[in-house]
């Protein structure tokens, strides 16, 4: 049997040890707990997925060639089965040798063809009327001689509307002076033609784009003698000759010898319309 003194000692020991044991448990529990790291602790986040490379741009296809149901015909030579040639004269600068050319044609009884700009017709109405009065063929050479394609002038090509306007203005001017239409014959300024031009001029009523088979070189300051030689050397049935009326060209001076030389070779003369038959 435990006496009272021994019981008191046991009680005191128990009272002292119990708090220490609880404290040790709490400390161990606290020190053994690890905080879960978060991204704000500096731990690197997973890398985002690498985006796919941008798609390579598909090049745009080149524009489709201009197509139309019906296009003008580009003519460089007439009927090769007849000894008939066409003398054509472009009029777009000054009056130059026009009166002399008309007089030569009249005296030689030769019908020719004249490519006239609307601007030239306004400046020299009497000469245009004389051409029509003598029975020469009048060809539309545009209103003020721009390149329809821009190839020779380094300028943007004219739009369809601009091309048609060029033709209509020249036609109205020439027809008002002479009562004669230039349709269906068109001579392109600078000889600049492509498929789109053939389409557009046809839409304006011009079925023939009149080029040439013999360039006399008068516009390029060839001498009268050189012009005659070139003209006779290029003689072929159906040949279409390119000449100019301006003062910088010697075509007017060379014309009598050209006519005589071609006749000596057995050729006759007609307008572009007649040579194409």
């Amino acid at each position: 049997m435990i006496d009272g003194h021994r019981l008191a000692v046991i009680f005191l020991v128990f009272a002292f040890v119990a708090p220490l044991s609880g404290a040790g448990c709490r400390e161990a529990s606290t020190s053994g707990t690890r905080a879960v790291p978060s991204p704000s602790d500096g731990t690197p986040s997973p890398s985002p997925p690498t985006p796919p490379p941008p798609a390579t741009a598909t090049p745009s296809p080149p524009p489709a060639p201009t197509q139309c149901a019906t296009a003008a015909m580009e003519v460089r030579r007439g009927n090769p089965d007849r000894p008939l040639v066409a003398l054509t004269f472009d009029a777009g600068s000054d009056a130059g040798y026009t009166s002399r050319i008309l007089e030569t044609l009249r005296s030689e009884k030769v019908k020719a063809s004249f490519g006239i700009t609307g601007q030239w017709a306004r400046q020299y109405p009497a000469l245009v009327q004389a051409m029509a009065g003598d029975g020469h063929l009048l060809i539309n050479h545009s209103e003020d001689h721009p390149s329809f394609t821009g190839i020779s002038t380094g300028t943007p090509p004219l739009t369809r509307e601009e091309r048609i306007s060029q033709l209509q203005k020249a036609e109205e001017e020439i027809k008002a002076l002479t009562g004669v239409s230039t349709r269906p014959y068109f001579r392109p300024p600078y000889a600049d033609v492509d498929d789109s031009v053939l389409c557009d001029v046809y839409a304006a009523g011009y079925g023939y784009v009149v080029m040439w088979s013999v360039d006399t070189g008068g516009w390029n300051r060839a001498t009268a003698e050189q012009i005659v030689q070139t003209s006779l050397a290029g003689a072929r049935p159906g040949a279409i000759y390119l000449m100019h009326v301006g003062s910088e060209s010697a075509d007017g001076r060379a014309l009598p010898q050209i006519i005589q030389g071609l006749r000596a070779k057995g050729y006759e003369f007609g307008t572009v319309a007649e040579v194409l038959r």
Side-chain angles (χ1 to χ4, degrees), residues 18-33:
L20 293 176
S21 300
C25 290
R26 283 198 300 273
E27 184 179 6
S29 174
T30 302
S31 62
T33 303

Side-chain angles (χ1 to χ4, degrees), residues 124-214:
Y124 309 107
L127 292 175
V128 177
Q129 290 168 339
M131 293 170 185
D134 286 351
H136 301 300
L137 181 72
L138 306 184
I139 298 174
N140 194 320
H141 196 32
S142 80
E143 170 61 17
D144 54 11
H145 208 271
S147 169
F148 276 34
T149 65
I151 293 172
S152 294
T153 55
T155 54
L158 299 189
T159 64
R160 177 184 176 90
E161 292 73 21
E162 289 170 335
R163 291 167 176 174
I164 292 176
S165 176
Q166 282 280 327
L167 294 168
Q168 288 176 338
K169 287 179 180 179
E171 163 71 3
E172 290 168 3
E173 188 71 39
I174 295 167
K175 191 170 183 180
L177 286 172
T178 65
V180 177
S181 175
T182 58
R183 292 187 177 95
Y185 303 102
F186 168 60
R187 169 156 285 167
Y190 304 100
D192 285 349
V193 177
D194 60 17
D195 289 345
S196 69
V197 172
L198 297 179
C199 288
D200 293 345
V201 302
Y202 184 84
Y206 292 86
Y208 297 95
V209 173
V210 183
M211 305 296 274
W212 53 86
S213 56
V214 182

